[in-house]
Amino acid sequence: MKIVIVGGGVAGLVCGRTLQRAGHQVSVLEASDGVGGRVRSDKVEGFTLERGFQVLFTAYPAAKRQLDYPKLDLRTFQPGAIIARAGKRSVLSDPLRDPGALFPSALTNIVSPFDKLRTVFLVAELKRKSIHEVISGEDLTTEQYLRKRHFSDKFINNFVRPFFGGVFLENQLKTSAKAFKFDFKMLSQGQTVVPAGGMGRISEQLAEELFKSNSIRLNTPVKDLLTDESGRYNGVQLENGETLASDAVVVATPAPEAHRLTGLAMPQGQTSTINLYYAGSSPVYKSKKLVLNANPEPFVNNTVMASNIAPEYAPPDQHLLSATVLGIPEGSDEELYRRGLTDLHRMFQGDAHAEVALTGYRPLAIYRIHYGQFAQPPGVHPTLPDNRSGKPGLYFAAEFTEASSLNAAMVSGEKAAKLIQQS
């Protein structure tokens, strides 16, 4: 079969590689100058920058199937996080996976002892359940679910809002508890990592075979999808007027573009983020943990010394600080850089070394990610589009058929490829 795939993000690449390995003729059409969608890394002044803060959970089932972890040369975060609040930094971690954090985690009062015990019970419960069991049954918002399990305001506000705010790109915790439980299970069962060469290495690895066979065309936006007299989808028309015929068409784009191309209903709503990068000559802190901002009215939601995790992210004798802002606040680049640095000083207030180090940091790059994820309120997942569009010859391979995650994108690509081969 001849298959055209519109979109060279993770789902499209997984779908294309799977079909090509099965002997089909594949053409992946990517509108931009590189594959991966948001899962791309840029080089700026010798620094490796992600397009929005991103990590890989090694426990992702689809990632285990699709990726060669050793070849990605992974660099690992320490479990848990540092919580910045009221001029203090508190360590909260799993002592079983992070023995060095045993005493700091036990002694901190940033969350209550009962919350720590409830967390142990939650981890044990989610570990013994299958993914299907975890995401089945009643759906609530993440906040409703946590309150139903009697977690305190301290735990929710000081840890969950900033930590999962960085995962969901919203800190009101309106996201489905099914997404929370899945991510919490993945966090507790594996490691949080980035490739030494940046998250873009994931997309490059998925695309390698397709590039070798000249099956990917970059800078190739699609204007329209084509159908025959019976209504079957049989190709695409490019923006330059060229047409490509096929036996099947796979739309592997974000939801808004999929709606434009097909006119079919797609998930509504989105979450957005800004990623600020700063470069300096001295690390602000030494650990390999994420730092969460639990202060009132935060501008920066979370920050990380990216070069602590992966020294390769920065040139020799330089350091890279990544700061995540939720939403797209108004302001020029200069204003946003200034607001970010001011809030970083607030997060590290009282730490003389950190405050001195921050004075030497300079703005490096800013990414405004207007469409970070599709919104995932409770009840949304059963309503998502199927990989089969309901139209002959037309399929979807994108996270909007599953959930908003790297794992979901890969699963969607796998499912679309399987359905095409069964047709």
Side-chain angles (χ1 to χ4, degrees):
M1 291 177 67
K2 183 184 294 185
I3 300 104
V4 167
I5 299 173
V6 183
V10 168
L13 295 173
V14 167
C15 181
R17 187 175 71 170
T18 303
L19 289 169
Q20 182 169 278
R21 286 176 173 179
H24 299 285
Q25 185 179 339
V26 174
S27 294
V28 178
L29 310 178
E30 170 55 43
S32 73
D33 61 357
V35 295
R38 271 194 63 207
V39 189
R40 289 182 64 178
S41 303
D42 298 319
K43 280 288 188 181
V44 177
E45 298 180 24
F47 293 88
T48 299
L49 309 182
E50 312 297 0
R51 298 191 174 189
F53 176 67
Q54 301 172 60
V55 295
L56 169 66
F57 297 159
T58 59
Y60 277 156
K64 291 179 182 178
R65 295 190 294 268
Q66 292 294 333
L67 300 176
D68 185 331
Y69 285 176
K71 285 187 178 179
L72 288 174
D73 196 14
L74 299 172
R75 300 289 182 263
T76 306
F77 284 71
Q78 291 172 334
I82 299 169
I83 301 175
R85 181 176 173 83
K88 296 181 180 179
R89 269 71 44 204
S90 304
V91 174
L92 189 63
S93 190
D94 178 357
L96 296 178
R97 302 170 64 218
D98 188 13
L102 173 60
F103 291 109
S105 293
L107 295 174
T108 183
N109 64 355
I110 199 76
V111 300
S112 75
F114 296 106
D115 287 318
K116 295 172 188 177
L117 191 58
R118 291 183 187 104
T119 303
V120 171
F121 290 148
L122 178 58
V123 168
E125 177 185 322
L126 295 178
K127 275 187 174 181
R128 69 172 177 264
K129 286 185 176 181
S130 68
I131 291 175
H132 176 73
E133 290 172 323
V134 165
I135 62 176
S136 297
E138 179 188 26
D139 201 5
L140 305 167
T141 69
T142 295
E143 181 172 1
Q144 289 170 336
Y145 172 76
L146 292 170
R147 294 196 184 283
K148 188 174 181 179
R149 295 189 69 108
H150 307 293
F151 282 100
S152 71
D153 285 344
K154 257 189 171 184
F155 181 79
I156 292 171
N157 294 330
N158 292 343
F159 175 70
V160 182
R161 287 194 197 281
F163 188 94
F164 280 90
V167 177
F168 301 147
L169 304 184
E170 63 91 7
N171 62 7
Q172 299 302 303
L173 304 182
K174 296 178 180 178
T175 297
S176 162
K178 292 183 178 182
F180 168 81
K181 289 185 285 183
F182 174 77
D183 288 335
F184 205 89
K185 179 178 174 67
M186 295 297 100
L187 279 162
S188 63
Q189 291 187 181
Q191 296 176 316
T192 302
V193 301
V194 293
M199 288 291 287
R201 289 285 188 262
I202 292 172
S203 303
E204 291 169 10
Q205 187 179 102
L206 294 172
E208 184 176 3
E209 294 173 27
L210 294 164
F211 273 125
K212 284 183 178 178
S213 60
N214 295 315
S215 299
I216 296 178
R217 291 177 60 175
L218 302 178
N219 300 304
T220 307
V222 171
K223 180 180 181 181
D224 204 358
L225 308 184
L226 304 178
T227 58
D228 62 19
E229 293 179 354
S230 70
R232 182 178 183 83
Y233 284 79
N234 67 347
V236 300
Q237 182 181 26
L238 306 183
E239 288 285 358
N240 64 9
E242 181 184 355
T243 60
L244 298 177
S246 65
D247 299 301
V249 175
V250 180
V251 174
T253 67
E257 177 66 1
H259 173 72
R260 182 191 73 80
L261 288 168
T262 68
L264 298 175
M266 290 289 147
Q268 298 297 304
Q270 65 197 58
T271 57
S272 306
T273 184
I274 288 177
N275 200 179
L276 300 168
Y277 284 105
Y278 301 90
S281 58
S282 177
V284 177
Y285 63 97
K286 293 183 178 180
S287 83
K288 296 183 179 182
K289 292 184 185 295
L290 191 68
V291 182
L292 308 178
N293 190 355
N295 286 306
E297 299 181 4
F299 179 71
V300 171
N301 181 77
N302 57 271
T303 188
V304 66
M305 286 299 314
S307 49
N308 284 3
I309 314 301
E312 298 87 350
Y313 274 36
D317 301 319
Q318 292 288 301
H319 301 272
L320 179 65
L321 182 66
S322 168
T324 298
V325 177
L326 302 184
I328 309 287
E330 292 184 0
S332 65
D333 289 1
E334 291 73 19
E335 290 172 310
L336 295 174
Y337 282 131
R338 178 185 53 75
R339 290 184 66 186
L341 202 54
T342 297
D343 213 25
L344 288 166
H345 275 282
R346 181 171 66 141
M347 291 173 68
F348 290 95
Q349 181 184 356
D351 182 332
H353 168 81
E355 291 192 81
V356 170
L358 279 169
T359 61
Y361 272 69
R362 62 181 175 86
L364 183 65
I366 183 170
Y367 290 85
R368 290 175 175 85
I369 312 295
H370 290 273
Y371 195 93
Q373 302 176 9
F374 69 88
Q376 298 181 92
V380 71
H381 297 100
T383 72
L384 297 178
D386 191 76
N387 294 97
R388 284 194 186 93
S389 70
K391 306 288 185 180
L394 178 63
Y395 300 83
F396 294 121
E399 64 176 18
F400 63 69
T401 70
E402 296 286 326
S404 192
S405 73
L406 190 59
N407 183 78
M410 293 182 184
V411 169
S412 186
E414 292 172 339
K415 286 184 176 180
K418 183 177 181 180
L419 289 170
I420 291 169
Q421 292 181 84
Q422 292 173 345
S423 65

